[in-house]
C-alpha cells in the first residue's frame, strides 16, 4: 500500500516521500511518460539511470494495444515492460475527451472511437477500474471528465459533478490489493468550482489527489491561481499530483504551491524535435548554428549524452539525417535534466533555501 | 599503421589479428555498418558492448551530409561520432553505381546525383582519397567500379580494368600517415577476370585487399566459387575483406574460404523489420505467434535485450506500436549475435575444430 510522508514544508512547498510496493519516491517528483509501455526511445534501465523511480503509462493506449488482458497475462505492466520501479496509470479520461471529436458523453460513461482503427469502445468508471487493475500499476487514477479550455461555468460544473459521481463509482468497484487509487479534482479555471470539487473528492478519502483539467490551454497564471486555491483544501498527509505539467518553470511554480507529483510528455516530445533543456532555457539543436559546435549539450551535465561526450554538432547531424540516435541522446538529456531539477529542488527544501533556489532559477531561466 | 598477423590456418580458414592505431581486431571479424556516422539506433558504447572493435562508415553518405570537411574540422570521424575503436570507410563506389540510375561513368570518374537533393557531384579516385583522408578512418578503400550482376564479360572486364587504373591513381595520391589503403579486386562472377584482377591489384601492394562485386545478386555458390579462385592469389600476410556480406551462413562459408573481414547492413536492417537471428535461423517477431511469448529472444544469449529479460511478446508490442525501443532491442540482439558467431568461429579455429563447428552450424541452421 502507498504511504506518504511529509518531511517538511518551506512556505507551501512540501518535501516528502511516497512509498509503494515497488519503490520509494522522494517528492516533489517528476514522472516521465511511457504511453505505450515504453518511455519513448528508452529502455527501462535507461529511464532508471536518469533517476526516475516512477513512470506514468497510459490506460487508453494500453487498453487498445496490446490490451489490458494480455498485459495481465504477461504478469502485469511491470513485468511486461521490464520496469522495476513504480508505475502510475492515468484514467484514459484525457485521451477519450481529446483524441476523438465524435465521442459521446453520458452519465454512464464515454463512447469513443479508437485512434488506431476507428472501432467503437465504451469507457465507464467500472471499465476503467477493471483495466487499471489488470495493468497492475502502483497508482491508479479515477475516471474523470476533463473539460476543455475554455468552457463556460455551466459546462465545467456539470463535468465536475460527473467526475464526483464517477469517483464514487470508481471507489466502489476498486478492489486491487496493492494498487492505490487517486481521486481527481476538476473545476476548470473557476475558483468556486475548484473549492466544491476539492471538498467532494477529498470527502471520499483517496490515497492521493490528482489535480486535473489544468495545463489544457489556460494561462499559466490561471493555473497557479487554482493551485493556490486548492493547496489549503487538500489533506496534508496525502500526495498531490498536478497532471500533465512538465516545463521547468511550471515545475518550480507548482512545488512552490504545494504540489508533490508531476508528469508530462514534454521532455520526450521536444527531444524528438531536437530541443533540449539547459539551465538558461532551451536549445533547438537542429539549428544551423550548432553544426560545428563541438561542446556537449551542457557542460558538467551528468546525463548519458553529455557524460560520454556527444557533441551538439554530432547530435545536430543525427537529427538532420533522421537517425534514431539523435532523438535518443536528446531524450536522455531532457529526462535527466528534469530529474536533476527535481533533485535540486528537494535539496533546497531540505536545506531550507527553496526561496533562494526559486529566485536563482528564474534569474537565469529564459522562456 | 596496420599490422596483420596470421596466427594459424585450418584448411583455408585463417585465424589472425589486425592492429590499427585504434584497436586490435581479432579476425575473422564482422564489421557493423554505421552509414551516417552511427550504427543505426546505437550509441558508440553500445556498439562496443556487442564486442565490435571496428565499424564501417559510408564515404558517399558522409561526403553529402554533414560533409567531409566538417568531419575533419570536428577532429575526424572517430572524434565526431565518439567511437573509440577502428573505422573502415568504403569508397562510395557501390553507392554511386547503385543509387543513381542517371550516373555518368568515364575513365575520369563518376558524375552522379545526390539522393538527398538531386545535386550533381563528381567522384574521381583523387576526390575519394581526399574525402577518406579527411574522414580519417583507419582503413580506406580504393575507389572502384562495381559492375552490377548480371553483366556480360566485356562489361565486367572494362570495369575491372578501370578499377585497376583507379587503384593506381588512388595509391598515387594517398598520403595519410595513419590511414591504411586497401585495394579492391573486381571481376564479377568470371573466374578469368578474378584472376587477372587479383594479379593487377595485388601487384600494386596494398595494406589489405577488398573483394568487391560479390553479394550483388549472384547465386551464393557462384560467390563461394570466386572466393576459392581468389584464396591462393591473395598474399597470406594481408587481410582479405569480403565486402557487403553478413548473413550467418555466408560468414561461415566465407571464413572457410580464407576471408578475414566482412561487413553488411543485414543485422541492423532486418532488426528494423522485426527479424532476429537465433541459432536455428531467424524469427520474425512481428508475427502474431509471439504476442504472448514471455521468453527472451534466445535463452542464454548475452545481448542487452536478452540479458535484461525483454520478452518476445513485449518486443512484438513495441514493433507493432512503432516504438523505437522495439528496433533498438532487435538491433542489439542481431549485432551481438554476429559478434558472438565470429567469436565462436575464432575459438573453433584456435582449438582446431573449425570443421566440426562448420558441420554443427549447418546441421541446425535453417535458411
Amino acid at each position: 500500500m502507498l504511504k506518504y510522508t511529509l518531511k517538511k514544508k518551506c512556505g507551501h512547498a512540501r518535501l516528502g516521500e511516497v512509498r509503494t510496493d515497488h519503490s520509494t519516491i522522494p517528492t516533489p517528483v517528476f514522472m516521465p511518460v511511457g504511453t505505450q509501455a515504453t518511455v519513448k526511445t528508452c529502455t527501462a534501465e535507461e529511464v532508471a539511470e536518469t533517476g526516475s523511480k516512477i513512470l506514468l503509462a497510459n490506460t487508453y493506449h494500453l487498453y487498445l494495444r496490446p490490451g489490458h488482458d494480455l498485459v495481465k497475462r504477461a504478469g502485469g505492466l511491470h513485468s511486461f515492460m521490464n520496469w522495476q520501479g513504480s508505475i502510475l496509470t492515468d484514467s484514459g479520461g484525457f485521451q477519450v475527451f481529446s483524441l476523438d471529436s465524435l465521442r459521446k458523453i453520458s452519465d454512464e460513461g464515454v463512447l469513443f472511437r479508437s485512434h488506431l482503427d476507428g472501432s467503437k469502445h465504451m469507457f465507464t468508471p467500472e471499465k476503467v477500474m477493471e483495466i487499471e487493475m489488470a495493468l497492475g500499476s502502483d497508482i491508479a487514477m479515477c475516471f474523470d471528465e476533463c473539460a476543455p479550455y475554455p468552457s463556460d461555468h455551466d459546462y465545467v460544473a456539470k463535468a465536475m459533478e460527473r467526475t464526483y459521481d464517477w469517483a464514487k463509482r470508481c471507489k466502489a468497484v476498486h478492489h486491487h490489493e496493492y494498487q492505490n487509487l487517486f481521486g481527481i479534482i476538476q473545476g476548470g479555471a473557476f475558483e468556486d468550482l475548484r473549492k466544491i470539487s476539492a471538498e467532494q473528492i477529498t470527502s471520499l478519502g483517496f490515497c492521493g489527489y490528482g489535480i486535473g483539467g489544468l495545463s489544457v490551454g489556460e494561462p499559466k497564471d490561471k493555473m497557479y491561481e487554482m493551485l493556490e486555491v486548492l493547496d489549503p483544501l487538500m489533506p496534508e498527509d496525502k500526495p498531490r499530483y498536478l497532471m500533465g505539467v512538465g516545463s521547468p518553470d511550471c515545475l518550480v511554480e507548482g512545488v512552490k504551491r504545494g504540489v508533490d507529483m508531476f508528469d508530462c510528455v514534454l521532455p520526450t516530445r521536444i527531444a524528438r524535435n531536437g530541443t533540449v533543456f539547459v539551465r538558461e532555457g532551451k536549445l533547438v539543436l537542429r539549428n544551423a548554428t550548432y553544426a560545428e559546435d563541438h561542446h556537449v549539450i551542457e557542460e558538467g551535465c551528468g546525463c548519458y549524452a553529455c557524460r560520454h561526450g556527444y557533441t551538439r554538432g554530432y547530435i545536430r547531424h543525427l537529427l538532420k539525417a533522421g537517425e534514431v540516435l539523435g532523438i535518443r541522446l536528446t531524450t536522455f538529456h531532457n529526462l535527466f535534466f528534469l530529474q536533476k531539477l527535481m533533485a535540486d529542488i528537494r535539496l533546497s527544501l531540505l536545506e531550507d533555501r527553496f526561496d533562494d533556489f526559486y529566485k536563482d532559477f528564474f534569474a537565469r531561466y529564459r522562456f
Side-chain angles (χ1 to χ4, degrees), chain A:
Chain A
M1 291 299 288
L2 183 144
K3 179 160 167 42
Y4 173 75
T5 310
L6 175 62
K7 296 193 167 175
K8 81 188 286 187
K9 290 184 69 175
C10 297
H12 298 272
R14 294 150 51 93
L15 180 70
E17 188 176 275
V18 169
R19 289 172 70 173
T20 75
D21 287 345
H22 283 93
S23 64
T24 297
I25 306 148
T27 58
V29 63
F30 174 79
M31 305 180 284
V33 177
T35 296
Q36 304 192 103
T38 165
V39 175
K40 284 194 189 302
T41 80
C42 296
T43 67
E45 296 76 29
E46 289 162 354
V47 175
E49 197 201 286
T50 65
S52 295
K53 309 284 186 204
I54 180 169
L55 56 75
L56 180 146
N58 286 116
T59 291
Y60 165 85
H61 291 85
L62 295 173
Y63 159 77
L64 290 177
R65 183 174 59 195
H68 56 294
D69 287 332
L70 184 148
V71 173
K72 186 178 185 177
R73 288 192 298 271
L77 195 49
H78 296 82
S79 174
F80 182 63
M81 68 183 289
N82 209 21
W83 170 247
Q84 316 291 323
S86 299
I87 299 174
L88 181 150
T89 41
D90 68 359
S91 71
F94 184 77
Q95 282 75 27
V96 298
F97 288 104
S98 63
L99 292 182
D100 179 10
S101 57
L102 294 184
R103 72 196 175 275
K104 283 193 186 141
I105 310 169
S106 65
D107 289 341
E108 173 60 14
V110 183
L111 187 71
F112 64 96
R113 293 173 316 171
S114 160
H115 74 290
L116 297 176
D117 61 7
S119 57
K120 284 187 182 167
H121 301 264
M122 181 84 179
F123 268 7
T124 63
E126 293 77 15
K127 180 72 187 175
V128 168
M129 289 300 97
E130 177 201 326
I131 299 168
E132 293 194 76
M133 287 189 282
L135 294 173
S137 52
D138 298 275
I139 299 172
M141 302 304 293
C142 283
F143 189 53
D144 63 325
E145 179 174 354
C146 178
Y149 184 89
S151 296
D152 62 37
H153 190 276
D154 198 44
Y155 185 99
V156 176
K158 283 197 179 108
M160 179 198 79
E161 289 296 342
R162 195 175 267 142
T163 294
Y164 180 36
D165 179 53
W166 289 358
K168 286 184 272 190
R169 285 165 59 188
C170 285
K171 197 164 192 318
V173 298
H174 187 267
H175 59 82
H176 189 296
E177 196 176 351
Y178 303 110
Q179 191 176 62
N180 306 282
L181 188 60
F182 277 30
I184 299 180
I185 296 167
Q186 288 287 351
F190 298 104
E191 184 174 334
D192 60 330
L193 298 181
R194 284 286 166 188
K195 285 180 174 168
I196 297 169
S197 187
E199 163 63 27
Q200 288 175 335
I201 300 298
T202 60
S203 75
L204 298 177
F206 288 102
C207 303
Y209 295 92
I211 303 166
L214 292 177
S215 195
V216 291
E218 79 285 359
K220 285 182 178 179
D221 284 347
K222 190 51 92 173
M223 175 170 82
Y224 302 148
E225 198 186 310
M226 291 302 110
L227 293 178
E228 286 163 17
V229 168
L230 289 173
D231 177 47
L233 303 178
M234 292 184 290
E236 281 234 312
D237 61 346
K238 302 290 176 194
R240 301 102 173 259
Y241 159 34
L242 178 56
M243 303 170 76
V245 166
S247 73
D249 55 315
C250 290
L251 293 174
V252 176
E253 298 284 11
V255 168
K256 186 182 164 78
R257 290 164 178 84
V259 174
D260 303 305
M261 303 167 70
F262 304 85
D263 84 284
C264 197
V265 296
L266 187 76
T268 46
R269 178 168 289 166
I270 67 173
R272 294 198 299 284
N273 292 326
T275 298
V276 288
F277 295 126
V278 292
R279 286 164 51 88
E280 292 75 26
K282 289 182 205 143
L283 305 180
V284 182
L285 288 185
R286 293 183 69 93
N287 286 350
T289 179
Y290 300 112
E292 305 220 22
D293 188 329
H294 306 319
H295 298 92
V296 296
I297 299 173
E298 187 161 42
E299 290 300 335
C301 171
C303 86
Y304 185 102
C306 294
R307 199 174 73 233
H308 284 97
Y310 290 92
T311 65
R312 295 171 177 181
Y314 179 57
I315 295 171
R316 176 179 187 269
H317 161 67
L318 296 172
L319 294 168
K320 297 291 282 184
E323 288 285 357
V324 162
L325 181 56
I327 62 172
R328 284 189 58 201
L329 295 173
T330 53
T331 298
F332 281 150
H333 179 84
N334 283 353
L335 289 176
F336 185 92
F337 182 92
L338 290 192
Q339 293 302 328
K340 180 68 164 57
L341 173 64
M342 300 313 285
D344 288 346
I345 288 175
R346 291 191 300 266
L347 188 61
S348 78
L349 290 168
L350 183 69
E351 296 176 350
D352 287 314
R353 50 176 180 76
F354 177 71
D355 286 348
D356 289 342
F357 176 91
Y358 181 94
K359 277 178 214 141
D360 290 349
F361 177 86
F362 285 102
R364 66 168 190 268
Y365 192 81
R366 295 287 166 272
F367 293 87

